[in-house]
Amino acid sequence: MAAILISRYRLMEVITRYTSADPSSLQLPGDEAYYLSTESFNTWTVCMGYGLASEYFRDYYSLMVEKLQVISSLSVSPSSPKAELCYAVSVLCLLESVVHVAATNEELTAKMTRSHGSDSPVENSDSAPVPGVNWSHVSGLIQPVEICLQKWLRELVDIYPTQKPNLCLLTSAVKFVGSYYSKIQNQPGVNVVQCLEHIEVLSKTLSESCLKSLAYQQIVRGLSIHSMVLSSNKPFTSETTPSLPSHPSTLDTREWCPILQKDSPYSFLVALYRLLYSIGKIHKGLDAKVFQLVLQNEDLITYLRKVCSSIHSQMNQNYFSRFENLLQYYLVKLAALWAGCDSQLYHQVALHLITRLQTGDEHYVHDLLSTTVFNQEFFGVEDCEIIPSQVQAMRLTEHKELTSASRFTSNVTQRDPLPSVHGSLPSIRATYLQVFGKDIKALHRSRERCLQIPSEMDSLMSPTIDLLVPKDWVYLPLVELYQTTTKMELAGKPVNTLSSTAVSMVTNCLQWISLMENERELVMKTITMATKISRLMCVFLSGNDLFLEAPVHHCLASLFSTYCQPDRLDKINLREEIPGLTSFYDFYVSFLLQYEAVSFGDSLFGSFVLLPMQQRYDLKLRKAVWGEHAGTLRAMFIPVKELMIPIKNFLEPEETNLELLRLYLQALLSGTVTSKRCPIMYVIAVHHVNRFVYTQDGKHKKLRQMMMRQICMMRNEEIKKHLLFYKLATQEKDIGFDMYTDLPNVRQRLLEDFDIKDWIKKTRKALQT
């Protein structure tokens, strides 16, 4: 359709009228001639982006070479006329688009030849036409552009100490050279040896003329100043017509977005790092000093550390943030080429970057997952060391073993041997690629845009801006499996046993989460603890026996132990919003139903049930267990010594809700909760009932007397003794608490109204012996 419109309205005849002539000969006032020619070149560049109008470049090739010679006389000095600089930039952008079109000629020619079974290509309406330019039309342009590049780099070094030059012209030249070398590998007739020698000369030029200069240092220093990620401002949102979407380019302070402000270094540095990555892929033996000057730059490292520490940013969904994302992407790719960089830092950058990539960047997400995120080389030797906080956590949970319903134990203090987890990284990568690679069409469209393949280009229009990957993406395989099994159950197809593939997927996911929690703790801090816990609970809801698989059980136990460390346990806030959950209470109720049905008294499953029952959480969660779903209590077989959550969390502050206190006593009187069958719940009930009946605040006196009477009339001597002589909870004893041998005088006086003096004396003697 676009080709038909270009032909019908003779667009290229109009464009070439203004691009072929020298702007000064158009007899237009002031800079109008330059701006008209500039827009003509820009329009031509857009057409070339779709692989159209390439034959006109072939016809005007000699004229383009002449214009390139004229451009070489320009300077990057800030005193250079703005109109002429814009004109020169538009010419270089056109030449860059020609490179992308010419790079597809060989492939399209071969494709058409194969489809018709002959040596001469024939046009096929079902495939893209062979472009009117080939690689020979652009191979002669690289030398004059590189000459311009060297000249402008020298000017940059000379000018920058006293005044800031205009970087747009230099950036355009760097982009052209970067695009040229990104496409040269697949072109016919390229002399590989000469190409490598040429790259060595180019890298030396970049190193000596740019990377070692004070100008480069000052440019890199501007990254933090003009960063969108580090900006504390909010984007200005104005009313827009739905049919005419726009990208907000100003802040709430009515200033330009940081990345769009004057002297922003991002466009130049993105082009420079892309060029270095392109030549680094071709020349595997490139001088390491080039990578060292980039990746070990102190100002760059400072900027990247700030980015990794920035948890909440207001500008992530702004369209112009994608240019900062591109800069970080090429830095990560450069780090993958050189083993001497701070691998841990650049790996963290990659992990943060994934959650900031926007719609249309599916290719970058897929590429990072394929080549970087699960790359074992990014987990250095220093990652294998156990840091002091982890040693302390291991001491806090020493000797904790959870007994599975399948009669095997999971040692929660054992840190997974890193070599075994690292050896599973290829399998883990396959799991996540399968989850993230379902939208094949979107991935192909993104690849065509990112790699700039004009023959396959569907649209250059920016899609609706939205973040592609959630912050808790490491848990996504668990969430998807839970959603799949839930849908099947709603359709009347209960999932009893999952396939070995699903078990492997869950194991891989849990291993990766464990690795991240141990070695990339800073990245995992961007996910709330409540979200982490709810995602792990999905494993128990995905099939009836998935949690009983030994590798799954072991990984879950290890993660639960990690989340029960004091510094993390205190951060679990079940009242905050959890992505994907409208109500945690409803989710917890479904969890209780699953526990009643399939837990078989599994200690790990029970530990997850216990976690929301801590005193600081919503009262409704405790009532759900002790009231509506009291059947849960009968399956709560967790021994006191296997409890990983501090027992005081279930006892302090003392319970004041009368309804729940009645439920505690009722569970004890009815035998639903006993010290042998459900010791943890028994300790909780005894503690709160004991504290309530002995409280002397003057409130609820009648209720206390009634409860005390019920206790004194109990026939179960053991429970009566525990309720009246309970002293303090402790995890050192199997029963879970200590008892008084002699009741304090205050408590004895409270019992005088009840005819149990003889029983008290008898019990006291038994406790003393």
Side-chain angles (χ1 to χ4, degrees):
M1 176 59 74
I4 294 173
L5 292 175
I6 291 174
S7 174
R8 178 182 299 172
Y9 297 103
R10 299 182 178 180
L11 178 63
M12 289 309 301
E13 292 182 14
V14 178
I15 289 177
T16 54
R17 185 181 305 166
Y18 295 106
T19 56
S20 59
D22 187 84
S24 59
S25 65
L26 292 179
Q27 298 180 353
L28 291 172
D31 296 331
E32 189 175 337
Y34 278 98
Y35 289 133
L36 183 58
S37 296
T38 297
E39 291 305 320
S40 298
F41 273 111
N42 290 339
T43 306
W44 193 355
T45 301
V46 173
C47 294
M48 293 290 285
Y50 292 99
L52 305 172
S54 58
E55 63 277 6
Y56 287 90
F57 179 83
R58 183 185 57 204
D59 297 338
Y60 288 90
Y61 180 81
S62 59
L63 189 62
M64 293 298 134
V65 174
E66 291 178 8
K67 289 185 179 295
L68 195 54
Q69 293 173 348
V70 174
I71 290 173
S72 64
S73 63
L74 294 176
S75 170
V76 297
S77 169
S79 59
S80 298
K82 181 180 178 181
E84 293 185 24
L85 288 178
C86 291
Y87 174 76
V89 168
S90 67
V91 174
L92 288 171
C93 287
L94 174 65
L95 297 182
E96 183 189 2
S97 67
V98 174
V99 169
H100 297 302
V101 174
T104 63
N105 184 288
E106 183 72 14
E107 180 183 354
L108 292 176
T109 301
K111 187 182 295 184
M112 286 196 173
T113 301
R114 286 195 304 269
S115 63
H116 293 343
S118 63
D119 294 334
S120 58
V122 181
E123 295 294 334
N124 187 345
S125 59
D126 294 333
S127 59
V130 176
V133 291
N134 55 44
W135 194 250
S136 65
H137 292 104
V138 297
S139 58
L141 298 176
I142 187 64
Q143 186 176 2
V145 175
E146 286 187 346
I147 292 174
C148 292
L149 177 61
Q150 294 173 10
K151 174 194 172 185
W152 293 332
L153 283 174
R154 288 193 298 270
E155 290 181 358
L156 173 70
V157 174
D158 295 337
I159 293 174
Y160 215 100
T162 56
Q163 51 186 331
K164 293 184 178 180
N166 194 322
L167 293 175
C168 63
L169 190 59
L170 178 59
T171 300
S172 300
V174 176
K175 285 177 61 182
F176 175 89
V177 179
S179 295
Y180 180 86
Y181 284 107
S182 69
K183 303 291 185 179
I184 195 173
Q185 279 185 296
N186 300 323
Q187 303 310 314
V190 176
N191 189 315
V192 178
V193 176
Q194 288 183 359
C195 180
L196 295 177
E197 292 175 350
H198 195 75
I199 286 176
E200 290 179 358
V201 174
L202 175 60
S203 65
K204 186 176 181 180
T205 300
L206 292 172
S207 176
E208 299 294 335
S209 301
C210 179
L211 300 178
K212 291 183 178 179
S213 67
L214 176 62
Y216 174 73
Q217 303 296 330
Q218 292 180 337
I219 290 173
V220 173
R221 206 164 292 152
L223 285 173
S224 297
I225 300 173
H226 296 277
S227 170
M228 298 284 278
V229 177
L230 302 180
S231 175
S232 58
N233 294 312
K234 296 181 180 179
F236 174 67
T237 54
S238 58
E239 288 190 27
T240 57
T241 305
S243 59
L244 296 172
S246 64
H247 302 305
S249 57
T250 56
L251 304 172
D252 52 359
T253 58
R254 299 301 191 274
E255 296 176 342
W256 289 105
C257 289
I259 204 168
L260 299 178
Q261 292 175 8
K262 186 180 179 182
D263 302 325
S264 172
Y266 281 91
S267 59
F268 171 69
L269 291 178
V270 168
L272 177 62
Y273 297 153
R274 175 173 173 257
L275 169 58
L276 292 173
Y277 173 62
S278 297
I279 63 177
K281 279 202 307 180
I282 299 172
H283 198 315
K284 305 300 182 183
L286 201 62
D287 191 353
K289 289 182 179 179
V290 177
F291 299 108
Q292 182 178 356
L293 289 170
V294 173
L295 299 175
Q296 290 188 344
N297 182 282
E298 292 184 4
D299 293 309
L300 180 66
I301 289 176
T302 300
Y303 158 74
L304 293 177
R305 284 177 177 161
K306 288 180 181 178
V307 168
C308 291
S309 301
S310 177
I311 297 178
H312 302 291
S313 176
Q314 304 284 350
M315 308 291 286
N316 283 346
Q317 287 188 267
N318 186 281
Y319 171 81
F320 299 101
S321 295
R322 67 173 60 241
F323 301 105
E324 185 170 1
N325 294 341
L326 272 178
L327 177 128
Q328 294 172 19
Y329 169 79
Y330 284 115
L331 283 172
V332 170
K333 298 297 287 184
L334 281 172
L337 296 177
W338 183 53
C341 66
D342 185 347
S343 58
Q344 183 173 348
L345 173 63
Y346 285 97
H347 191 247
Q348 288 180 354
V349 172
L351 293 170
H352 282 285
L353 175 59
I354 279 184
T355 61
R356 293 198 308 272
L357 291 172
Q358 304 170 355
T359 309
D361 295 334
E362 289 85 358
H363 168 73
Y364 294 126
V365 173
H366 187 272
D367 184 64
L368 288 172
L369 291 175
S370 301
T371 63
T372 305
V373 171
F374 304 103
N375 189 339
Q376 188 171 344
E377 294 179 1
F378 279 92
F379 293 91
V381 177
E382 66 275 7
D383 294 325
C384 298
E385 299 176 359
I386 304 179
I387 59 177
S389 63
Q390 292 170 336
V391 174
Q392 183 181 4
M394 292 169 68
R395 289 173 181 168
L396 289 171
T397 56
E398 195 172 3
H399 304 306
K400 287 285 191 292
E401 289 186 348
L402 292 181
T403 304
S404 166
S406 298
R407 297 306 170 206
F408 62 81
T409 59
S410 292
N411 188 344
V412 298
T413 61
Q414 181 181 358
R415 192 168 182 256
D416 287 326
L418 289 177
S420 66
V421 179
H422 290 172
S424 302
L425 285 175
S427 176
I428 294 172
R429 177 180 60 190
T431 294
Y432 282 91
L433 284 176
Q434 182 180 1
V435 172
F436 284 100
K438 293 181 178 179
D439 194 347
I440 302 298
K441 290 184 178 179
L443 182 58
H444 283 316
R445 286 195 300 267
S446 175
R447 179 179 176 274
E448 292 155 7
R449 287 168 57 91
C450 297
L451 300 183
Q452 295 175 292
I453 306 175
S455 58
E456 304 292 336
M457 192 67 67
D458 180 45
S459 173
L460 290 172
M461 297 294 290
S462 300
T464 304
I465 302 303
D466 197 7
L467 297 181
L468 280 174
V469 180
K471 286 186 177 181
D472 62 338
W473 64 272
V474 295
Y475 299 89
L476 199 56
L478 305 182
V479 176
E480 287 208 350
L481 180 62
Y482 165 66
Q483 292 174 341
T484 301
T485 54
T486 301
K487 287 179 181 178
M488 292 179 67
E489 289 175 358
L490 291 175
K493 301 176 182 178
V495 181
N496 295 320
T497 302
L498 292 172
S499 65
S500 58
T501 303
V503 174
S504 176
M505 181 192 73
V506 172
T507 304
N508 287 336
C509 179
L510 294 174
Q511 283 183 333
W512 175 246
I513 295 169
S514 181
L515 190 66
M516 291 281 286
E517 290 287 0
N518 284 319
E519 301 181 9
R520 295 295 181 263
E521 186 177 350
L522 186 62
V523 176
M524 295 299 285
K525 281 184 178 180
T526 60
I527 309 170
T528 65
M529 287 300 303
T531 300
K532 293 178 180 181
I533 292 295
S534 64
R535 299 306 188 239
L536 292 186
M537 291 169 73
C538 291
V539 177
F540 297 95
L541 296 171
S542 303
N544 295 339
D545 57 0
L546 175 61
F547 68 95
L548 295 176
E549 298 287 342
V552 174
H553 197 277
H554 173 74
C555 290
L556 281 172
S558 177
L559 284 169
F560 189 77
S561 173
T562 300
Y563 295 157
C564 286
Q565 296 171 16
D567 60 328
R568 303 193 189 200
L569 193 62
D570 294 341
K571 294 178 182 177
I572 301 177
N573 180 10
L574 300 179
R575 293 183 177 87
E576 67 187 3
E577 183 179 352
I578 299 175
L581 285 184
T582 55
S583 168
F584 181 81
Y585 174 79
D586 293 339
F587 180 71
Y588 185 60
V589 167
S590 65
F591 193 75
L592 293 178
L593 292 172
Q594 183 79 345
Y595 180 78
E596 290 182 59
V598 302
S599 70
F600 305 109
D602 185 82
S603 295
L604 179 60
F605 204 155
S607 297
F608 276 90
V609 171
L610 278 173
L611 191 142
M613 293 179 63
Q614 297 174 76
Q615 286 296 104
R616 63 193 183 95
Y617 295 133
D618 195 334
L619 176 66
K620 291 194 305 181
L621 299 173
R622 298 193 294 279
K623 283 186 176 181
V625 176
W626 291 93
E628 301 171 17
H629 301 279
T632 305
L633 301 172
R634 297 183 181 275
M636 196 68 70
F637 300 148
I638 309 173
V640 175
K641 291 185 177 180
E642 288 189 11
L643 182 64
M644 287 186 284
I645 305 170
I647 188 68
K648 67 175 184 179
N649 290 15
F650 300 95
L651 311 179
E652 300 174 2
E654 294 171 7
E655 189 59 64
T656 57
N657 184 268
L658 302 182
E659 182 183 352
L660 190 54
L661 286 166
R662 290 192 186 98
L663 292 173
Y664 286 153
L665 184 57
Q666 180 183 343
L668 292 170
L669 295 175
S670 63
T672 303
V673 172
T674 66
S675 59
K676 293 182 179 179
R677 184 171 58 238
C678 33
I680 299 295
M681 311 308 286
Y682 186 79
V683 172
I684 293 172
V686 167
H687 171 86
H688 288 295
V689 172
N690 174 276
R691 291 294 187 262
F692 178 73
V693 297
Y694 281 126
T695 300
Q696 302 180 60
D697 58 2
K699 298 178 181 179
H700 313 296
K701 189 173 181 180
K702 290 183 179 181
L703 178 61
R704 286 196 180 91
Q705 289 178 345
M706 183 188 73
M707 292 179 70
M708 183 66 82
R709 186 174 293 106
Q710 286 180 300
I711 294 171
C712 294
M713 294 173 64
M714 288 182 67
R715 293 184 179 180
N716 190 316
E717 298 293 326
E718 184 183 41
I719 297 179
K720 183 194 298 187
K721 177 178 65 176
H722 292 165
L723 283 170
L724 296 180
F725 282 82
Y726 171 86
K727 180 179 181 181
L728 190 68
T730 175
Q731 290 182 250
E732 301 300 322
K733 294 187 176 181
D734 292 337
I735 195 173
F737 53 83
D738 289 325
M739 290 187 293
Y740 287 107
T741 53
D742 275 322
L743 282 175
N745 293 332
V746 176
R747 295 194 173 188
Q748 288 188 24
R749 285 196 295 269
L750 288 174
L751 295 174
E752 289 177 355
D753 296 336
F754 305 95
D755 189 18
I756 58 170
K757 288 183 180 180
D758 294 337
W759 180 85
I760 292 176
K761 290 179 181 180
K762 180 181 176 182
T763 304
R764 185 189 305 130
K765 289 181 180 179
L767 290 172
Q768 288 174 348
T769 57

